[in-house]
Amino acid sequence: SQTIHQWPATLVQPVGSPLSLECTVEGTSNPNLYWYRQAAGRGLQLLFYSVGIGQISSEVPQNLSASRPQDRQFILSSKKLLLSDSGFYLCAWSGGASYNEQFFGPGTRLTVL
Amino acid sequence: GENVEQHPSTLSVQEGDSAVIKCTYSDSASNYFPWYKQELGKGPQLIIDIRSNVGEKKDQRIAVTLNKTAKHFSLHITETQPEDSAVYFCAASPNNNDMRFGAGTRLTVKP
């Protein structure tokens, strides 16, 4: 069966510091991968998605970036965090027999102080 | 692009009663409509979905209905239990890389 991992689970960072969040998927190959952000009490905002290694599509202009160095690894980064980057970051995957269905990881709670 | 609206934003019911959450979408090309349940501090979990060639789908106490003409779909939970308390999200998708979510409904089931 497929599993999706995210780390760290929680993170507190000062404004202006760099960020690196990691997501990995097991049990599937060539998945589509997604990064979402969820502000407190709000819905999910798609940030990036990737259909393959090195292929990144950005949905919202911001100071975040994403990379996919391996088939089942998706990384969310920032060079300098802003207060507004605080939120709950969710990674998701889709593909294979479950074409449209997206499956979410446990999330990373980021607090920027 | 797709725009999904979800109502109500909060819903409180007594244990054993039914709960209904409604969503509307704007893009007639959307053909996949999932529902997610999110418990506090966790990622959303897919609980049921429906595709545009189906009008209704049931899974035990959960059912989803779809009206493509009116561009709306609903989640129905019968015989609610305290463990059904969570935030529920609807979504609509015209393709694999474009899924738009509603703002969520916080459901509270009172024992």
Side-chain angles (χ1 to χ4, degrees):
Chain A
S1 63
Q2 300 86 5
T3 55
I4 179 168
H5 305 277
Q6 285 186 247
W7 65 90
T10 60
L11 189 60
V12 180
Q13 292 284 96
V15 169
S17 63
L19 173 73
S20 182
L21 303 182
E22 190 163 345
C23 170
T24 59
V25 181
E26 296 177 355
T28 186
S29 58
N30 196 31
N32 288 358
L33 296 172
Y34 309 84
W35 278 112
Y36 289 87
R37 176 169 58 202
Q38 185 176 31
R42 304 285 293 276
L44 286 78
Q45 179 187 32
L46 179 64
L47 301 176
F48 301 95
Y49 70 88
S50 171
V51 299
I53 296 174
Q55 301 179 61
I56 308 294
S57 296
S58 174
E59 287 291 304
V60 181
Q62 59 215 321
N63 70 323
L64 299 171
S65 62
S67 61
R68 185 169 177 175
Q70 300 181 42
D71 181 45
R72 289 170 288 176
Q73 184 185 31
F74 205 22
I75 297 172
L76 184 69
S77 304
S78 175
K79 293 182 179 179
K80 289 186 178 182
L81 284 168
L82 306 173
L83 286 174
S84 57
D85 290 324
S86 294
F88 193 45
Y89 287 82
L90 291 157
C91 180
W93 74 273
S94 71
S98 304
Y99 181 63
N100 283 104
E101 295 156 321
Q102 292 187 18
F103 301 95
F104 286 85
T108 294
R109 172 77 57 193
L110 172 66
T111 303
V112 183
L113 301 175
Chain B
E2 176 64 273
N3 181 47
V4 178
E5 295 191 359
Q6 183 171 346
H7 301 280
S9 57
T10 61
L11 179 60
S12 182
V13 299
Q14 287 296 133
E15 182 177 0
D17 288 349
S18 295
V20 180
I21 302 171
K22 298 182 179 181
C23 289
T24 61
Y25 63 98
S26 61
D27 189 350
S28 58
S30 287
N31 55 20
Y32 175 66
F33 307 91
W35 286 89
Y36 289 86
K37 176 184 179 182
Q38 186 177 29
E39 297 178 343
L40 189 63
K42 297 184 178 180
Q45 297 297 308
L46 179 67
I47 57 172
I48 195 168
D49 56 15
I50 192 167
R51 299 186 188 273
S52 60
N53 57 344
V54 176
E56 183 176 0
K57 184 177 178 180
K58 284 185 178 181
D59 183 4
Q60 301 182 346
R61 297 185 296 109
I62 295 174
V64 57
T65 58
L66 171 64
N67 183 328
K68 284 220 74 180
T69 303
K71 294 195 186 72
H72 65 70
F73 55 114
S74 302
L75 177 71
H76 305 253
I77 305 174
T78 59
E79 301 173 26
T80 53
Q81 302 167 3
E83 52 264 39
D84 293 329
S85 296
V87 178
Y88 291 81
F89 292 97
C90 64
S93 174
N95 60 62
N96 203 15
N97 296 318
D98 187 10
M99 186 173 292
R100 304 293 166 166
F101 288 82
T105 296
R106 181 173 299 279
L107 173 65
T108 302
V109 180
K110 299 177 181 178

